[in-house]
Amino acid sequence: NAGVTQTPKFRVLKTGQSMTLLCAQDMNHEYMYWYRQDPGMGLRLIHYSVGEGTTAKGEVPDGYNVSRLKKQNFLLGLESAAPSQTSVYFCASSYSNVQETQYFGPGTRLLVL
Amino acid sequence: AQTVTQSQPEMSVQEAETVTLSCTYDTSENNYYLFWYKQPPSRQMILVIRQEAYKQQNATENRFSVNFQKAAKSFSLKISDSQLGDTAMYFCALSYNQGGKLIFGQGTELSVKP
């Protein structure tokens, strides 16, 4: 099993450009999450999904959109990138709710110039 | 609102010694779980240990154990017989209902010195 994978690993964007980050999991997990990690701030939740076809806002959703068309995939979109979105993005998944361990992908480093 | 606070930005310990990382949290939920995650230089987030809030017994995993003080809302991590491979950023996290979202602390950077 590959676990949780993220594509791409690193990307440089210019302000105003758009891009999509892809997260895939092969563990048949229901729940999936997108976090961002900034220096000195830990990880903060952007959006999450509790099942195929569902999405919900997290702590810092502005400037991002997500889609969960297939159970195994969770896409994070930036429609018009801004320098404030320079960060490391992590995807995670879990079987279900509060008691389950979340498994993380390796992260995507995004630099917006 | 749920919050997690780690007041030690950096710590260091000699190899083979014991170190304790502190974490405090605040929540009004009754059903919640607490986690410690390790992030080595590779950036991969790795689960170290988890604690169910309704259990009084402290969780242990080999050299890692927690001191869970529910009334004080404290959840510290003790690493015994520290090894060079324990060098990493350690995050304390809280999970509660409404999607099982994780609330992370700011992290403690631990250096194990030979």
mmCIF file of all heavy atoms in Angstrom, chain A residues 21-64:
data_model
loop_
_atom_site.group_PDB
_atom_site.id
_atom_site.type_symbol
_atom_site.label_atom_id
_atom_site.label_comp_id
_atom_site.label_asym_id
_atom_site.label_seq_id
_atom_site.Cartn_x
_atom_site.Cartn_y
_atom_site.Cartn_z
ATOM 1 N N LEU A 21 -3.668 20.863 -6.222
ATOM 2 C CA LEU A 21 -2.886 19.855 -5.525
ATOM 3 C C LEU A 21 -3.738 18.595 -5.415
ATOM 4 O O LEU A 21 -4.912 18.664 -5.029
ATOM 5 C CB LEU A 21 -2.498 20.332 -4.127
ATOM 6 C CG LEU A 21 -1.339 21.309 -3.995
ATOM 7 C CD1 LEU A 21 -1.679 22.649 -4.609
ATOM 8 C CD2 LEU A 21 -0.970 21.480 -2.525
ATOM 9 N N LEU A 22 -3.108 17.452 -5.717
ATOM 10 C CA LEU A 22 -3.839 16.198 -5.681
ATOM 11 C C LEU A 22 -3.403 15.353 -4.494
ATOM 12 O O LEU A 22 -2.212 15.211 -4.227
ATOM 13 C CB LEU A 22 -3.602 15.404 -6.965
ATOM 14 C CG LEU A 22 -4.131 13.958 -6.985
ATOM 15 C CD1 LEU A 22 -5.652 13.940 -6.856
ATOM 16 C CD2 LEU A 22 -3.675 13.235 -8.244
ATOM 17 N N CYS A 23 -4.363 14.804 -3.793
ATOM 18 C CA CYS A 23 -4.121 13.866 -2.713
ATOM 19 C C CYS A 23 -4.830 12.563 -3.033
ATOM 20 O O CYS A 23 -6.011 12.576 -3.415
ATOM 21 C CB CYS A 23 -4.627 14.424 -1.387
ATOM 22 S SG CYS A 23 -4.491 13.270 -0.007
ATOM 23 N N ALA A 24 -4.127 11.448 -2.878
ATOM 24 C CA ALA A 24 -4.728 10.144 -3.123
ATOM 25 C C ALA A 24 -4.389 9.207 -1.970
ATOM 26 O O ALA A 24 -3.275 9.229 -1.455
ATOM 27 C CB ALA A 24 -4.210 9.559 -4.434
ATOM 28 N N GLN A 25 -5.387 8.395 -1.578
ATOM 29 C CA GLN A 25 -5.158 7.400 -0.520
ATOM 30 C C GLN A 25 -5.738 6.063 -0.964
ATOM 31 O O GLN A 25 -6.795 6.012 -1.596
ATOM 32 C CB GLN A 25 -5.752 7.861 0.825
ATOM 33 C CG GLN A 25 -7.215 8.282 0.784
ATOM 34 C CD GLN A 25 -8.199 7.186 1.117
ATOM 35 O OE1 GLN A 25 -7.823 6.068 1.497
ATOM 36 N NE2 GLN A 25 -9.484 7.503 0.975
ATOM 37 N N ASP A 26 -5.021 4.989 -0.581
ATOM 38 C CA ASP A 26 -5.442 3.652 -0.994
ATOM 39 C C ASP A 26 -5.853 2.807 0.193
ATOM 40 O O ASP A 26 -5.760 1.575 0.154
ATOM 41 C CB ASP A 26 -4.336 2.972 -1.806
ATOM 42 C CG ASP A 26 -3.042 2.801 -1.019
ATOM 43 O OD1 ASP A 26 -3.004 3.185 0.176
ATOM 44 O OD2 ASP A 26 -2.075 2.285 -1.602
ATOM 45 N N MET A 27 -6.291 3.444 1.272
ATOM 46 C CA MET A 27 -6.656 2.738 2.500
ATOM 47 C C MET A 27 -8.170 2.680 2.707
ATOM 48 O O MET A 27 -8.626 2.289 3.784
ATOM 49 C CB MET A 27 -5.979 3.429 3.694
ATOM 50 C CG MET A 27 -4.458 3.365 3.615
ATOM 51 S SD MET A 27 -3.630 4.283 4.924
ATOM 52 C CE MET A 27 -3.799 5.955 4.322
ATOM 53 N N ASN A 28 -8.923 3.107 1.722
ATOM 54 C CA ASN A 28 -10.381 3.096 1.790
ATOM 55 C C ASN A 28 -10.916 3.962 2.937
ATOM 56 O O ASN A 28 -11.928 3.644 3.555
ATOM 57 C CB ASN A 28 -10.924 1.667 1.926
ATOM 58 C CG ASN A 28 -12.381 1.564 1.499
ATOM 59 O OD1 ASN A 28 -12.833 2.280 0.603
ATOM 60 N ND2 ASN A 28 -13.130 0.687 2.146
ATOM 61 N N HIS A 29 -10.206 5.039 3.220
ATOM 62 C CA HIS A 29 -10.621 5.943 4.291
ATOM 63 C C HIS A 29 -11.777 6.827 3.866
ATOM 64 O O HIS A 29 -11.852 7.280 2.722
ATOM 65 C CB HIS A 29 -9.440 6.826 4.712
ATOM 66 C CG HIS A 29 -8.423 6.099 5.516
ATOM 67 N ND1 HIS A 29 -7.215 6.668 5.860
ATOM 68 C CD2 HIS A 29 -8.432 4.868 6.079
ATOM 69 C CE1 HIS A 29 -6.525 5.812 6.592
ATOM 70 N NE2 HIS A 29 -7.244 4.718 6.727
ATOM 71 N N GLU A 30 -12.692 7.071 4.824
ATOM 72 C CA GLU A 30 -13.830 7.938 4.546
ATOM 73 C C GLU A 30 -13.449 9.421 4.640
ATOM 74 O O GLU A 30 -13.919 10.235 3.873
ATOM 75 C CB GLU A 30 -14.960 7.659 5.536
ATOM 76 C CG GLU A 30 -15.688 6.349 5.311
ATOM 77 C CD GLU A 30 -16.486 6.333 4.016
ATOM 78 O OE1 GLU A 30 -16.880 7.420 3.534
ATOM 79 O OE2 GLU A 30 -16.704 5.229 3.475
ATOM 80 N N TYR A 31 -12.655 9.768 5.649
ATOM 81 C CA TYR A 31 -12.369 11.159 5.943
ATOM 82 C C TYR A 31 -11.027 11.572 5.318
ATOM 83 O O TYR A 31 -10.045 10.839 5.395
ATOM 84 C CB TYR A 31 -12.279 11.385 7.460
ATOM 85 C CG TYR A 31 -13.606 11.373 8.174
ATOM 86 C CD1 TYR A 31 -14.554 10.385 7.957
ATOM 87 C CD2 TYR A 31 -13.910 12.357 9.105
ATOM 88 C CE1 TYR A 31 -15.766 10.378 8.619
ATOM 89 C CE2 TYR A 31 -15.116 12.357 9.793
ATOM 90 C CZ TYR A 31 -16.036 11.363 9.545
ATOM 91 O OH TYR A 31 -17.230 11.350 10.202
ATOM 92 N N MET A 32 -11.015 12.774 4.739
ATOM 93 C CA MET A 32 -9.788 13.326 4.203
ATOM 94 C C MET A 32 -9.682 14.803 4.568
ATOM 95 O O MET A 32 -10.702 15.489 4.736
ATOM 96 C CB MET A 32 -9.712 13.141 2.681
ATOM 97 C CG MET A 32 -9.664 11.662 2.269
ATOM 98 S SD MET A 32 -9.369 11.390 0.526
ATOM 99 C CE MET A 32 -7.614 11.766 0.398
ATOM 100 N N TYR A 33 -8.441 15.295 4.679
ATOM 101 C CA TYR A 33 -8.188 16.645 5.207
ATOM 102 C C TYR A 33 -7.060 17.314 4.415
ATOM 103 O O TYR A 33 -6.135 16.647 3.940
ATOM 104 C CB TYR A 33 -7.742 16.567 6.677
ATOM 105 C CG TYR A 33 -8.629 15.739 7.573
ATOM 106 C CD1 TYR A 33 -8.473 14.352 7.658
ATOM 107 C CD2 TYR A 33 -9.610 16.334 8.367
ATOM 108 C CE1 TYR A 33 -9.280 13.594 8.485
ATOM 109 C CE2 TYR A 33 -10.414 15.575 9.198
ATOM 110 C CZ TYR A 33 -10.239 14.209 9.250
ATOM 111 O OH TYR A 33 -11.040 13.449 10.073
ATOM 112 N N TRP A 34 -7.146 18.621 4.335
ATOM 113 C CA TRP A 34 -6.034 19.430 3.840
ATOM 114 C C TRP A 34 -5.617 20.405 4.944
ATOM 115 O O TRP A 34 -6.446 21.142 5.484
ATOM 116 C CB TRP A 34 -6.417 20.232 2.600
ATOM 117 C CG TRP A 34 -6.282 19.470 1.326
ATOM 118 C CD1 TRP A 34 -7.285 18.995 0.535
ATOM 119 C CD2 TRP A 34 -5.060 19.116 0.661
ATOM 120 N NE1 TRP A 34 -6.772 18.340 -0.563
ATOM 121 C CE2 TRP A 34 -5.412 18.412 -0.512
ATOM 122 C CE3 TRP A 34 -3.713 19.320 0.945
ATOM 123 C CZ2 TRP A 34 -4.459 17.912 -1.397
ATOM 124 C CZ3 TRP A 34 -2.772 18.828 0.061
ATOM 125 C CH2 TRP A 34 -3.142 18.129 -1.104
ATOM 126 N N TYR A 35 -4.298 20.403 5.257
ATOM 127 C CA TYR A 35 -3.719 21.311 6.238
ATOM 128 C C TYR A 35 -2.627 22.129 5.562
ATOM 129 O O TYR A 35 -2.030 21.710 4.576
ATOM 130 C CB TYR A 35 -3.060 20.545 7.391
ATOM 131 C CG TYR A 35 -3.983 19.718 8.250
ATOM 132 C CD1 TYR A 35 -4.261 18.385 7.937
ATOM 133 C CD2 TYR A 35 -4.564 20.251 9.407
ATOM 134 C CE1 TYR A 35 -5.093 17.618 8.743
ATOM 135 C CE2 TYR A 35 -5.390 19.483 10.215
ATOM 136 C CZ TYR A 35 -5.647 18.171 9.867
ATOM 137 O OH TYR A 35 -6.471 17.413 10.664
ATOM 138 N N ARG A 36 -2.344 23.268 6.150
ATOM 139 C CA ARG A 36 -1.159 24.018 5.754
ATOM 140 C C ARG A 36 -0.265 24.214 6.975
ATOM 141 O O ARG A 36 -0.762 24.341 8.105
ATOM 142 C CB ARG A 36 -1.510 25.364 5.116
ATOM 143 C CG ARG A 36 -2.258 26.349 5.970
ATOM 144 C CD ARG A 36 -2.466 27.684 5.234
ATOM 145 N NE ARG A 36 -1.226 28.450 5.131
ATOM 146 C CZ ARG A 36 -1.097 29.586 4.436
ATOM 147 N NH1 ARG A 36 -2.133 30.075 3.769
ATOM 148 N NH2 ARG A 36 0.057 30.226 4.388
ATOM 149 N N GLN A 37 1.039 24.196 6.733
ATOM 150 C CA GLN A 37 2.002 24.367 7.822
ATOM 151 C C GLN A 37 2.869 25.568 7.543
ATOM 152 O O GLN A 37 3.571 25.609 6.527
ATOM 153 C CB GLN A 37 2.880 23.117 7.992
ATOM 154 C CG GLN A 37 3.859 23.235 9.151
ATOM 155 C CD GLN A 37 4.693 21.993 9.345
ATOM 156 O OE1 GLN A 37 4.885 21.195 8.429
ATOM 157 N NE2 GLN A 37 5.191 21.807 10.556
ATOM 158 N N ASP A 38 2.849 26.518 8.449
ATOM 159 C CA ASP A 38 3.674 27.719 8.362
ATOM 160 C C ASP A 38 4.618 27.741 9.556
ATOM 161 O O ASP A 38 4.290 27.198 10.619
ATOM 162 C CB ASP A 38 2.792 28.969 8.350
ATOM 163 C CG ASP A 38 1.820 28.943 7.172
ATOM 164 O OD1 ASP A 38 2.294 28.943 6.035
ATOM 165 O OD2 ASP A 38 0.602 28.910 7.412
ATOM 166 N N PRO A 39 5.773 28.365 9.409
ATOM 167 C CA PRO A 39 6.767 28.373 10.499
ATOM 168 C C PRO A 39 6.180 28.917 11.796
ATOM 169 O O PRO A 39 5.536 29.963 11.808
ATOM 170 C CB PRO A 39 7.864 29.292 9.946
ATOM 171 C CG PRO A 39 7.745 29.182 8.464
ATOM 172 C CD PRO A 39 6.266 29.041 8.201
ATOM 173 N N GLY A 40 6.418 28.173 12.897
ATOM 174 C CA GLY A 40 6.002 28.617 14.224
ATOM 175 C C GLY A 40 4.519 28.547 14.496
ATOM 176 O O GLY A 40 4.055 29.035 15.521
ATOM 177 N N MET A 41 3.741 27.948 13.579
ATOM 178 C CA MET A 41 2.282 27.961 13.764
ATOM 179 C C MET A 41 1.659 26.576 13.758
ATOM 180 O O MET A 41 0.458 26.444 13.843
ATOM 181 C CB MET A 41 1.620 28.797 12.673
ATOM 182 C CG MET A 41 2.033 30.257 12.683
ATOM 183 S SD MET A 41 1.091 31.247 11.538
ATOM 184 C CE MET A 41 -0.509 31.253 12.340
ATOM 185 N N GLY A 42 2.445 25.538 13.659
ATOM 186 C CA GLY A 42 1.849 24.212 13.579
ATOM 187 C C GLY A 42 1.037 24.047 12.305
ATOM 188 O O GLY A 42 1.160 24.826 11.362
ATOM 189 N N LEU A 43 0.182 23.033 12.258
ATOM 190 C CA LEU A 43 -0.659 22.780 11.088
ATOM 191 C C LEU A 43 -2.050 23.340 11.339
ATOM 192 O O LEU A 43 -2.605 23.216 12.430
ATOM 193 C CB LEU A 43 -0.774 21.272 10.822
ATOM 194 C CG LEU A 43 0.392 20.600 10.103
ATOM 195 C CD1 LEU A 43 1.591 20.448 11.012
ATOM 196 C CD2 LEU A 43 -0.035 19.249 9.548
ATOM 197 N N ARG A 44 -2.609 23.933 10.292
ATOM 198 C CA ARG A 44 -3.967 24.476 10.393
ATOM 199 C C ARG A 44 -4.844 23.869 9.295
ATOM 200 O O ARG A 44 -4.412 23.742 8.145
ATOM 201 C CB ARG A 44 -3.942 26.000 10.269
ATOM 202 C CG ARG A 44 -3.272 26.708 11.442
ATOM 203 C CD ARG A 44 -3.286 28.213 11.260
ATOM 204 N NE ARG A 44 -2.443 28.617 10.141
ATOM 205 C CZ ARG A 44 -2.450 29.846 9.617
ATOM 206 N NH1 ARG A 44 -3.275 30.771 10.094
ATOM 207 N NH2 ARG A 44 -1.647 30.140 8.614
ATOM 208 N N LEU A 45 -6.065 23.538 9.651
ATOM 209 C CA LEU A 45 -6.976 22.857 8.738
ATOM 210 C C LEU A 45 -7.574 23.836 7.729
ATOM 211 O O LEU A 45 -8.124 24.871 8.113
ATOM 212 C CB LEU A 45 -8.090 22.183 9.528
ATOM 213 C CG LEU A 45 -9.088 21.366 8.736
ATOM 214 C CD1 LEU A 45 -8.417 20.137 8.114
ATOM 215 C CD2 LEU A 45 -10.247 20.932 9.625
ATOM 216 N N ILE A 46 -7.497 23.479 6.447
ATOM 217 C CA ILE A 46 -8.044 24.327 5.386
ATOM 218 C C ILE A 46 -9.474 23.886 5.058
ATOM 219 O O ILE A 46 -10.430 24.652 5.180
ATOM 220 C CB ILE A 46 -7.168 24.262 4.129
ATOM 221 C CG1 ILE A 46 -5.718 24.622 4.449
ATOM 222 C CG2 ILE A 46 -7.721 25.203 3.058
ATOM 223 C CD1 ILE A 46 -4.761 24.363 3.293
ATOM 224 N N HIS A 47 -9.614 22.650 4.593
ATOM 225 C CA HIS A 47 -10.896 22.038 4.276
ATOM 226 C C HIS A 47 -10.815 20.567 4.616
ATOM 227 O O HIS A 47 -9.723 20.001 4.721
ATOM 228 C CB HIS A 47 -11.224 22.174 2.782
ATOM 229 C CG HIS A 47 -11.634 23.528 2.321
ATOM 230 N ND1 HIS A 47 -12.899 24.037 2.532
ATOM 231 C CD2 HIS A 47 -10.945 24.468 1.636
ATOM 232 C CE1 HIS A 47 -12.965 25.253 1.979
ATOM 233 N NE2 HIS A 47 -11.805 25.538 1.438
ATOM 234 N N TYR A 48 -11.988 19.949 4.746
ATOM 235 C CA TYR A 48 -12.002 18.522 4.970
ATOM 236 C C TYR A 48 -13.231 17.898 4.328
ATOM 237 O O TYR A 48 -14.150 18.616 3.882
ATOM 238 C CB TYR A 48 -11.931 18.188 6.463
ATOM 239 C CG TYR A 48 -13.120 18.624 7.285
ATOM 240 C CD1 TYR A 48 -14.083 17.700 7.679
ATOM 241 C CD2 TYR A 48 -13.263 19.946 7.695
ATOM 242 C CE1 TYR A 48 -15.164 18.088 8.447
ATOM 243 C CE2 TYR A 48 -14.338 20.337 8.460
ATOM 244 C CZ TYR A 48 -15.280 19.420 8.842
ATOM 245 O OH TYR A 48 -16.355 19.804 9.604
ATOM 246 N N SER A 49 -13.241 16.568 4.286
ATOM 247 C CA SER A 49 -14.344 15.828 3.663
ATOM 248 C C SER A 49 -14.646 14.605 4.509
ATOM 249 O O SER A 49 -13.730 13.895 4.920
ATOM 250 C CB SER A 49 -13.952 15.406 2.254
ATOM 251 O OG SER A 49 -14.875 14.471 1.734
ATOM 252 N N VAL A 50 -15.926 14.366 4.775
ATOM 253 C CA VAL A 50 -16.328 13.210 5.581
ATOM 254 C C VAL A 50 -16.848 12.072 4.709
ATOM 255 O O VAL A 50 -17.376 11.085 5.228
ATOM 256 C CB VAL A 50 -17.361 13.596 6.653
ATOM 257 C CG1 VAL A 50 -16.773 14.638 7.593
ATOM 258 C CG2 VAL A 50 -18.648 14.102 6.023
ATOM 259 N N GLY A 51 -16.704 12.198 3.401
ATOM 260 C CA GLY A 51 -17.107 11.135 2.497
ATOM 261 C C GLY A 51 -17.145 11.639 1.057
ATOM 262 O O GLY A 51 -17.117 12.851 0.815
ATOM 263 N N GLU A 52 -17.237 10.699 0.142
ATOM 264 C CA GLU A 52 -17.284 11.049 -1.270
ATOM 265 C C GLU A 52 -18.410 12.033 -1.544
ATOM 266 O O GLU A 52 -19.533 11.847 -1.071
ATOM 267 C CB GLU A 52 -17.493 9.769 -2.084
ATOM 268 C CG GLU A 52 -17.532 9.959 -3.582
ATOM 269 C CD GLU A 52 -17.694 8.626 -4.302
ATOM 270 O OE1 GLU A 52 -17.066 7.645 -3.897
ATOM 271 O OE2 GLU A 52 -18.487 8.575 -5.269
ATOM 272 N N GLY A 53 -18.090 13.099 -2.278
ATOM 273 C CA GLY A 53 -19.092 14.089 -2.632
ATOM 274 C C GLY A 53 -19.359 15.150 -1.578
ATOM 275 O O GLY A 53 -20.184 16.042 -1.792
ATOM 276 N N THR A 54 -18.674 15.081 -0.433
ATOM 277 C CA THR A 54 -18.887 16.068 0.639
ATOM 278 C C THR A 54 -17.619 16.862 0.889
ATOM 279 O O THR A 54 -16.513 16.343 0.749
ATOM 280 C CB THR A 54 -19.295 15.403 1.960
ATOM 281 O OG1 THR A 54 -18.152 14.784 2.548
ATOM 282 C CG2 THR A 54 -20.384 14.378 1.762
ATOM 283 N N THR A 55 -17.764 18.130 1.258
ATOM 284 C CA THR A 55 -16.645 18.954 1.683
ATOM 285 C C THR A 55 -17.131 19.927 2.751
ATOM 286 O O THR A 55 -18.332 20.222 2.821
ATOM 287 C CB THR A 55 -16.022 19.763 0.523
ATOM 288 O OG1 THR A 55 -17.000 20.669 0.009
ATOM 289 C CG2 THR A 55 -15.511 18.854 -0.582
ATOM 290 N N ALA A 56 -16.203 20.413 3.555
ATOM 291 C CA ALA A 56 -16.552 21.371 4.604
ATOM 292 C C ALA A 56 -15.350 22.267 4.877
ATOM 293 O O ALA A 56 -14.205 21.875 4.627
ATOM 294 C CB ALA A 56 -16.977 20.647 5.883
ATOM 295 N N LYS A 57 -15.640 23.463 5.392
ATOM 296 C CA LYS A 57 -14.570 24.419 5.676
ATOM 297 C C LYS A 57 -13.896 24.112 6.993
ATOM 298 O O LYS A 57 -14.536 23.690 7.950
ATOM 299 C CB LYS A 57 -15.149 25.839 5.701
ATOM 300 C CG LYS A 57 -15.651 26.325 4.355
ATOM 301 C CD LYS A 57 -16.187 27.741 4.459
ATOM 302 C CE LYS A 57 -16.685 28.228 3.100
ATOM 303 N NZ LYS A 57 -17.213 29.615 3.178
ATOM 304 N N GLY A 58 -12.597 24.394 7.007
ATOM 305 C CA GLY A 58 -11.833 24.265 8.235
ATOM 306 C C GLY A 58 -11.535 25.621 8.829
ATOM 307 O O GLY A 58 -12.333 26.555 8.715
ATOM 308 N N GLU A 59 -10.388 25.743 9.410
ATOM 309 C CA GLU A 59 -9.996 26.963 10.122
ATOM 310 C C GLU A 59 -9.591 28.105 9.201
ATOM 311 O O GLU A 59 -9.876 29.278 9.475
ATOM 312 C CB GLU A 59 -8.839 26.621 11.059
ATOM 313 C CG GLU A 59 -8.353 27.750 11.943
ATOM 314 C CD GLU A 59 -7.135 27.323 12.760
ATOM 315 O OE1 GLU A 59 -6.708 26.149 12.645
ATOM 316 O OE2 GLU A 59 -6.592 28.164 13.490
ATOM 317 N N VAL A 60 -8.920 27.793 8.071
ATOM 318 C CA VAL A 60 -8.400 28.814 7.159
ATOM 319 C C VAL A 60 -8.784 28.515 5.711
ATOM 320 O O VAL A 60 -7.923 28.252 4.870
ATOM 321 C CB VAL A 60 -6.861 28.962 7.312
ATOM 322 C CG1 VAL A 60 -6.511 29.626 8.621
ATOM 323 C CG2 VAL A 60 -6.167 27.600 7.213
ATOM 324 N N PRO A 61 -10.065 28.585 5.351
ATOM 325 C CA PRO A 61 -10.507 28.158 4.017
ATOM 326 C C PRO A 61 -10.397 29.205 2.904
ATOM 327 O O PRO A 61 -10.472 28.856 1.718
ATOM 328 C CB PRO A 61 -11.988 27.826 4.258
ATOM 329 C CG PRO A 61 -12.390 28.790 5.336
ATOM 330 C CD PRO A 61 -11.178 28.941 6.225
ATOM 331 N N ASP A 62 -10.218 30.467 3.287
ATOM 332 C CA ASP A 62 -10.275 31.530 2.275
ATOM 333 C C ASP A 62 -9.166 31.396 1.242
ATOM 334 O O ASP A 62 -7.995 31.231 1.576
ATOM 335 C CB ASP A 62 -10.204 32.901 2.959
ATOM 336 C CG ASP A 62 -11.427 33.181 3.803
ATOM 337 O OD1 ASP A 62 -12.449 32.492 3.607
ATOM 338 O OD2 ASP A 62 -11.361 34.080 4.663
ATOM 339 N N GLY A 63 -9.560 31.509 -0.054
ATOM 340 C CA GLY A 63 -8.594 31.423 -1.141
ATOM 341 C C GLY A 63 -8.397 30.022 -1.680
ATOM 342 O O GLY A 63 -7.626 29.821 -2.622
ATOM 343 N N TYR A 64 -9.100 29.036 -1.084
ATOM 344 C CA TYR A 64 -8.959 27.641 -1.483
ATOM 345 C C TYR A 64 -10.325 27.040 -1.805
ATOM 346 O O TYR A 64 -11.325 27.408 -1.199
ATOM 347 C CB TYR A 64 -8.324 26.807 -0.373
ATOM 348 C CG TYR A 64 -7.011 27.298 0.132
ATOM 349 C CD1 TYR A 64 -6.956 28.120 1.264
ATOM 350 C CD2 TYR A 64 -5.824 26.941 -0.493
ATOM 351 C CE1 TYR A 64 -5.746 28.574 1.746
ATOM 352 C CE2 TYR A 64 -4.600 27.386 -0.007
ATOM 353 C CZ TYR A 64 -4.568 28.205 1.114
ATOM 354 O OH TYR A 64 -3.362 28.655 1.597
#
